Amino acid sequence: RAEAAVRDREDRWSRFRPGSEVSRLNAAPGRPVIVSADTWTLVALAVEAWHATSGTFDPTVLVSLEAAGYDRSFELIDRPLGAAPVPAPGPAGIELHATSSAVVLPPGVRLDLGGLAKGATADAVADELMAAGVSGCCVNLGGDLRVRGQAPSPAGWVVALDCPGAPDTRRV
């Protein structure tokens, strides 16, 4: 069930999947796109985070990422990343219509909800597992880690961390 929940959210939120809700949004500048309630909430959260951080967090970095060469999944990139920085336009003009779950991206604004989507997925899956009656769970989505409930050992949750350049893996 947890794997299906992760796949479902990736199908809706990955910018690398042409049929995802995020890809449909990015392909429809200036036009309303009806999205799921979860996607609408995630976009609203991203805009709110932009405001709360005075633009330090910016979900409209897709053009910048693609200009740097990050135009496909990391495992498929066959050249060094890097290019002159391209400024992100910011989400100030994004329209969110709650009653219809519609989002309108202004022309020139494209979303990458990557890290935020992974974190939201990890939270949701951990919460869903706990609601299903597990005593404890650890959800790891490529470094976005959530633990809930009872740890599997008296030592608590033990997580190995890779430390590049360090002689041994550290444990926290």
Side-chain angles (χ1 to χ4, degrees), residues 56-69:
T56 300
F57 171 83
D58 192 334
T60 68
V61 297
L62 183 54
V63 172
S64 306
L65 292 172
E66 290 176 339

Side-chain angles (χ1 to χ4, degrees), residues 30-78:
R31 297 189 311 266
V33 176
I34 306 297
V35 296
S36 64
D38 285 349
T39 300
W40 189 94
T41 299
L42 188 65
V43 174
L45 179 63
V47 172
E48 181 181 318
W50 179 76
H51 285 290
T53 63
S54 299
T56 300
F57 171 83
D58 192 334
T60 68
V61 297
L62 183 54
V63 172
S64 306
L65 292 172
E66 290 176 339
Y70 185 24
D71 56 358
R72 65 196 89 165
S73 211
F74 273 130
E75 64 272 5
L76 301 175
I77 294 175
D78 56 359

